[in-house]
Amino acid sequence: MTTRLERYLTQLQTQIARSNGEKLQERLRLDDTHTAKLAADVDGNEDHCARLCRSKLKEPWSELAERHILASLAHRRGDAVSTFDHQLAATKVFLRLLPTCNRWVLPVMYAILRDLRKVAGQGDAAVVARGEKAHMLEEAARTINQAFSLCVMDRTSGLQQSRKWGTYFVIGLLFGTYFKLRSQNLCKNILRAVSASASDLPPLERYPKSHQVAFRYYQGVLAFREEKYAKAETELALALRHCKRDAATHKERILKFLIPLRLLRGILPSRQLLQQYPRIAAVYAPFIDAVRTGNVKSFDVAILEHEQLLARMGTYLTLERARHMAVRTLFRRTYIIGGKDPKMPMEKFQIALRMAGVDATMPEVECLLANMIYKGYMRGYLSHERSYVVLSSKGPFPTVELAAA
Amino acid sequence: MASAVAGAHQTASSIQLKRGRETLRRQYIEQGLLQDPEKRIDLKRAIRFVGTCQDMCPEFEREEREYQKSIDKYEQLANAKHRIDHTRAVKTFHRPAAGNEQPLPCDVRPPPVLERTLRYLIHDIVAVHGIEDTHFFVRDRMRSIRQDYTLQNERGPSAIAVHEQIARFHIACTHLLCESSGFSESQEMEQLRKGTRSPMVTRLMLQSLQEFYDDALIAGIECPNEAEFRSYYLVAHLGDKDVLRQAQYYRPQVYQSPMVQQALRFHSLYQRSGSFITVNMARFFRTVAHPATTFLTACMLEHFFINVRKHSLFSLCASVNIKQRPAVAIPQFAAMFGFTDNEELLKFCAYYGLTVTDSKVMLSTPQVQAEQASRLAIAQ
């Protein structure tokens, strides 16, 4: 009756001895099939199980195995809270042995940390449903942070075998957790630590693509939040390019930020792209159309209508700024319809705005035009006394890339 | 000679009290009302500090201040300047610092007394003697009220109501006092040069209120003025995207409230990226004048006027043809730049080196650039 458990422990023993991280991690995951088989053997026999672990494996592997088994059992029972407790204990044991291992153990670390974060989320959901305060994800974040330090500060093994290869995976997991906790400001400390040891780390390009993409994505989103739009666009564009072809959900998450960023510079996504991502299209299409046609009114209506949704997505503030791109199109069209006359009465722009549903007094129109010229979206000058705009003969509406410089 | 005798009497009483303090402290510790600073204790078992002082000013401080001759004119006895009026003395603010002795329960006023003290300051001091003469006194004593709440870790309805009133007072002060003698000319110029933010005190107070509301929400207490003060907080932080992001998590009744919505309108009118501010000045001032902007909101916005005008002036001067010697007639300039006072307008023009001739303001660039250059030099 104990054979299955024994066989399982033997397998662990073998893979540890072989330093086979890939094989070992399969057996330390919560969702693997082995847990189902073990359940029948271990349930109600916890003491025996612990003894067996200790006899088969060396400390602290034996403790890790024991904690893992307990976590798996709780997981199968659907007891989210004690799953988290056991998984946290397992992770802490693992972090104790991490400094004694090198690169081979990284897949195991990935599996354990990934599970930890997952069950922390489930555990928090369970306690919140009971009316208690969520705390597990925060605890998980702290633990993942320790793993980060142990990776980035590996000084014992040579670069080829270094735990430094785990750095960006852990960052991806950690940032995701921080985002969920709405503690994005904590990401800064990590980024500081990374850039401090940048010279010791292998270049980002040499890490697995998936690690690169996650890291670039989070860096892009953080830059987006700080309104460092140029950096945000670079990082997100790279993330999109390296993203796995069929990873539609990931691409969607990237586009969620990339489209407003480009819209801000007047770059519109193609129709084919939007067709591929109907959910993105549903949110952004009204804005894209408004910028394309200069329909300021429909832009304003759309922003009111989607306010809550955009706020939840975190792109409301940026998208709101894209409004001036719609105004720019409106003014450009006014100029074209006016026969491209370089001398445009300001009143014409006022009428155009009114037709687009924006009621503006003349001083307001003047301020608006001044801002457009000041920011380089229009070329020319205002003649306040005669109340008209003199537009430049060459390119009164420079392409937006030029304007942004 | 008579005052020397009185002085001797005071010294004696003050020294007696001082000696009594140590005994008093030990008694409090024995009774379990005060933490023994020598002993280590688990945070969970820490004693909750409860004030017992029933006067606006604790007895010990009254004696001490009389001895030190630091009595404000609103606390003096009518017929003896060096004697404290025990019924009118109000506890002063002491910066918490190392070396200051630990306050005793008898030095700290419980919430009902704090409420009474605030009522006294507003109705018997400000309302009677006017805001200009009293505001240094009142501001200090209000600060001490807030400190007593902090010492007792009181964050409930009483703390909220008192902080709200104090915040309203400060906001009104920023406007009402900006033209008074207390705020000197040079200070005004200083503000003109730096471009201002709303005063630190107001910001900090609004910050504490935000935390109180968050706590109240968790405790399931509804605060009737939450929307009002959330909106001030928003307006105090125009151009700060983090604050705007926080607003998205306000509960719907607060978020949808007219005052918060109006504050959000100002946020979308005043956009900042780095040190670059984009604002449609004419629209901004029209919105300030709109009935949906309350008096106190406008008071808070006043601090942004300088920045709004400055950046709009840059944008205006950069978008005209200087060679044509462009000019704007004063009434239009006033309308655009939101001036209601001609003198203020002329001061503004003089500061930026804009010449005013034939009731017109001549737009020019160099002085504006010089101003920017000097700002950069200061920053470096």
Side-chain angles (χ1 to χ4, degrees):
Chain A
M1 146 166 169
T2 53
T3 45
R4 262 190 290 207
L5 177 59
E6 269 178 58
R7 205 180 309 135
Y8 168 73
L9 291 171
T10 314
Q11 282 167 354
L12 290 187
Q13 201 179 26
T14 319
Q15 302 311 339
I16 292 166
R18 286 187 189 152
S19 296
N20 188 338
E22 273 308 328
K23 283 264 153 50
L24 186 58
Q25 64 92 19
E26 283 171 18
R27 283 162 185 81
L28 289 170
R29 266 161 51 176
L30 292 180
D31 56 1
D32 194 61
T33 45
H34 72 265
T35 58
K37 294 174 194 154
L38 290 179
D41 280 8
V42 183
D43 247 347
N45 266 324
E46 280 84 358
D47 285 345
H48 171 69
C49 167
R51 242 178 292 128
L52 207 57
C53 287
R54 257 170 276 147
S55 71
K56 280 272 191 187
L57 298 166
K58 271 192 306 216
E59 239 332 85
W61 286 106
S62 57
E63 202 184 334
L64 176 62
E66 187 195 336
R67 297 286 181 185
H68 167 69
I69 292 167
L70 292 175
S72 310
L73 294 183
H75 192 53
R76 291 194 57 76
R77 282 200 308 271
D79 180 349
V81 176
S82 62
T83 309
F84 173 77
D85 289 341
H86 290 306
Q87 184 68 15
L88 183 68
T91 316
K92 291 215 161 126
V93 175
F94 178 79
L95 292 182
R96 244 176 32 227
L97 63 80
L98 186 58
T100 64
C101 305
N102 56 25
R103 193 176 179 179
W104 76 265
V105 86
L106 290 179
V108 180
M109 178 181 78
Y110 300 161
I112 290 179
L113 293 181
R114 217 189 270 128
D115 278 339
L116 177 70
R117 196 183 81 167
K118 202 169 114 195
V119 299
Q122 291 164 349
D124 273 341
V127 288
V128 168
R130 289 204 305 245
E132 290 164 38
K133 214 174 157 197
H135 60 91
M136 291 177 224
L137 203 58
E138 224 177 291
E139 187 90 47
R142 266 196 296 278
T143 314
I144 299 171
N145 193 335
Q146 285 166 18
F148 164 77
S149 306
L150 289 172
C151 287
V152 80
M153 293 195 301
D154 180 11
R155 300 199 204 293
T156 45
S157 22
L159 192 57
Q160 255 332 297
Q161 287 310 314
S162 173
R163 293 191 303 273
K164 286 188 171 129
W165 290 102
T167 306
Y168 288 107
F169 175 89
V170 181
I171 292 180
L173 201 63
L174 189 56
F175 281 14
T177 316
Y178 285 156
F179 272 61
K180 222 173 221 155
L181 290 167
R182 286 193 207 153
S183 322
Q184 285 91 341
N185 50 331
L186 294 175
C187 297
K188 277 216 182 96
N189 305 334
I190 304 293
L191 290 176
R192 216 172 294 133
V194 170
S195 66
S197 51
S199 53
D200 300 336
L201 288 174
L204 181 61
E205 293 74 30
R206 289 187 52 205
Y207 281 78
K209 276 273 162 64
S210 60
H211 301 191
Q212 288 182 38
V213 169
F215 183 65
R216 291 208 187 278
Y217 167 77
Y218 285 117
Q219 255 196 324
V221 177
L222 288 168
F224 183 95
R225 286 170 55 92
E226 286 175 27
E227 297 177 23
K228 292 177 182 155
Y229 290 142
K231 173 160 172 80
E233 198 180 326
T234 320
E235 295 293 334
L236 290 169
L238 277 169
L240 187 68
R241 190 187 310 152
H242 292 301
C243 198
K244 216 170 149 212
R245 192 174 303 160
D246 52 1
T249 335
H250 284 171
K251 286 188 174 176
E252 201 173 68
R253 281 172 69 184
I254 297 170
L255 287 169
K256 191 171 95 182
F257 294 100
L258 194 54
I259 288 177
L261 278 175
R262 296 220 152 136
L263 205 56
L264 208 55
R265 299 209 292 121
I267 303 170
L268 309 175
S270 70
R271 291 185 202 284
Q272 294 97 295
L273 184 80
L274 286 178
Q275 271 162 14
Q276 277 178 46
Y277 300 96
R279 282 200 301 181
I280 292 275
V283 187
Y284 290 147
F287 300 101
I288 295 163
D289 289 339
V291 168
R292 185 177 284 132
T293 57
N295 193 339
V296 185
K297 170 99 182 167
S298 71
F299 192 99
D300 290 345
V301 169
I303 208 120
L304 268 179
E305 202 173 295
H306 292 324
E307 184 182 346
Q308 293 297 321
L309 177 66
L310 292 169
R312 265 201 311 270
M313 288 166 68
T315 56
Y316 174 77
L317 300 172
T318 309
L319 207 59
E320 198 193 12
R321 289 194 169 190
R323 183 180 187 266
H324 65 244
M325 291 314 304
V327 175
R328 178 186 172 275
T329 316
L330 178 70
F331 284 1
R332 196 169 60 90
R333 292 198 163 185
T334 314
Y335 164 72
I336 293 168
I337 293 166
K340 299 200 178 176
D341 186 353
K343 279 190 179 179
M344 290 282 290
M346 286 189 204
E347 213 192 340
K348 285 201 176 172
F349 292 109
Q350 188 185 27
I351 295 166
L353 283 166
R354 195 177 303 144
M355 286 174 72
V358 182
D359 201 15
T361 60
M362 269 321 274
E364 282 175 42
V365 175
E366 199 167 340
C367 283
L368 191 57
L369 285 164
N371 281 339
M372 295 298 268
I373 294 172
Y374 186 42
K375 286 178 131 186
Y377 294 125
M378 282 169 81
R379 257 188 224 144
Y381 62 87
L382 302 176
S383 172
H384 167 79
E385 280 158 312
R386 291 181 204 104
S387 191
Y388 58 62
V389 192
V390 180
L391 289 162
S392 160
S393 50
K394 30 186 177 182
F397 291 90
T399 51
V400 187
E401 284 95 296
L402 287 174
Chain B
M1 274 323 272
S3 69
V5 174
H9 154 77
Q10 279 162 23
T11 317
S13 131
S14 178
I15 286 170
Q16 267 173 9
L17 269 170
K18 204 143 212 159
R19 274 200 209 112
R21 297 276 287 177
E22 215 14 70
T23 329
L24 207 53
R25 175 188 315 282
R26 259 177 270 129
Q27 277 173 7
Y28 277 127
I29 291 172
E30 273 164 31
Q31 289 165 3
L33 294 172
L34 197 63
Q35 206 70 65
D36 188 348
E38 310 286 313
K39 279 187 193 148
R40 295 182 68 170
I41 191 157
D42 188 346
L43 198 56
K44 282 179 197 134
R45 289 177 44 225
I47 296 164
R48 184 158 180 261
F49 187 89
V50 178
T52 56
C53 172
Q54 291 304 314
D55 302 318
M56 295 195 296
C57 186
E59 189 190 1
F60 178 68
E61 186 186 309
R62 291 196 309 254
E63 296 297 341
E64 193 180 46
R65 291 216 339 253
E66 189 165 66
Y67 171 63
Q68 294 170 342
K69 298 201 171 55
S70 61
I71 308 171
D72 198 278
K73 67 172 170 181
Y74 300 110
E75 301 171 322
Q76 293 163 350
L77 273 181
N79 48 5
K81 283 200 161 188
H82 298 300
R83 303 304 304 273
I84 200 159
D85 183 341
H86 290 270
T87 58
R88 287 162 70 220
V90 185
K91 187 180 173 186
T92 54
F93 173 77
H94 290 280
R95 197 169 286 284
N100 284 4
E101 58 173 328
Q102 175 191 23
L104 304 179
C106 62
D107 299 330
V108 176
R109 298 157 292 179
V113 180
L114 291 168
E115 288 166 26
R116 199 176 76 215
T117 308
L118 181 65
R119 273 200 301 275
Y120 169 77
L121 289 175
I122 292 173
H123 296 291
D124 297 79
I125 299 292
V126 178
V128 174
H129 302 280
I131 215 165
E132 271 182 42
D133 289 340
T134 59
H135 89 273
F136 279 115
F137 173 72
V138 169
R139 276 213 319 222
D140 177 80
R141 302 313 193 253
M142 282 182 170
R143 200 166 174 195
S144 148
I145 293 180
R146 289 192 285 135
Q147 192 179 30
D148 276 8
Y149 276 109
T150 313
L151 281 169
Q152 300 170 85
N153 197 20
E154 265 292 333
R155 309 162 74 96
S158 165
I160 292 175
V162 165
H163 277 75
E164 285 175 346
Q165 287 180 56
I166 296 179
R168 283 200 197 104
F169 174 76
H170 275 80
I171 295 169
C173 271
T174 59
H175 169 69
L176 296 172
L177 293 174
C178 74
E179 279 142 30
S180 85
S181 52
F183 287 57
S184 67
E185 176 82 2
S186 70
Q187 208 173 346
E188 203 180 314
M189 287 310 274
E190 171 101 3
Q191 288 184 338
L192 204 54
R193 190 164 52 77
K194 277 188 191 156
T196 57
R197 294 164 138 204
S198 43
M200 211 50 205
V201 200
T202 316
R203 279 172 163 246
L204 285 176
M205 212 156 4
L206 290 170
Q207 178 66 46
S208 331
L209 274 170
Q210 303 304 301
E211 286 159 20
F212 291 170
Y213 292 139
D214 291 341
D215 287 355
L217 195 63
I218 292 168
I221 302 166
E222 204 150 303
C223 307
N225 301 321
E226 183 179 347
E228 179 190 344
F229 286 90
R230 297 266 194 204
S231 84
Y232 297 150
Y233 184 71
L234 279 170
V235 169
H237 293 84
L238 282 194
D240 185 334
K241 290 289 142 137
D242 272 329
V243 171
L244 202 48
R245 248 191 293 269
Q246 286 168 28
Q248 293 164 356
Y249 301 117
Y250 294 169
R251 55 202 174 88
Q253 302 97 295
V254 171
Y255 189 86
Q256 298 298 345
S257 70
M259 284 193 77
V260 167
Q261 284 298 311
Q262 190 70 355
L264 292 172
R265 233 161 264 145
F266 282 108
H267 263 275
S268 69
L269 279 171
Y270 185 96
Q271 302 199 326
R272 199 185 72 191
S273 48
S275 59
F276 200 86
I277 290 162
T278 316
V279 54
N280 187 330
M281 173 176 58
R283 197 172 194 94
F284 182 88
F285 285 122
R286 195 171 75 160
T287 317
V288 174
H290 194 272
T293 307
T294 65
F295 173 69
L296 289 182
T297 305
C299 289
M300 301 220 62
L301 284 165
E302 197 174 12
H303 291 273
F304 293 93
F305 288 3
I306 293 158
N307 256 337
V308 168
R309 287 174 183 145
K310 186 175 80 188
H311 286 272
S312 303
L313 183 67
F314 290 168
S315 131
L316 195 64
C317 289
S319 60
V320 292
N321 190 348
I322 294 295
K323 283 178 213 144
Q324 291 179 341
R325 301 186 46 73
V328 183
I330 285 187
Q332 278 166 306
F333 192 89
M336 228 192 244
F337 283 78
F339 286 110
T340 48
D341 178 346
N342 218 21
E343 206 177 308
E344 218 184 317
L345 182 149
L346 293 175
K347 226 188 269 173
F348 176 83
C349 291
Y351 183 76
Y352 285 99
L354 304 176
T355 42
V356 182
T357 41
D358 304 336
S359 61
K360 276 181 185 169
V361 180
M362 311 295 293
L363 298 180
S364 53
T365 349
Q367 282 79 358
V368 173
Q369 279 171 350
E371 201 266 356
Q372 250 178 330
S374 75
R375 254 168 56 88
L376 281 176
I378 290 162
Q380 281 160 4

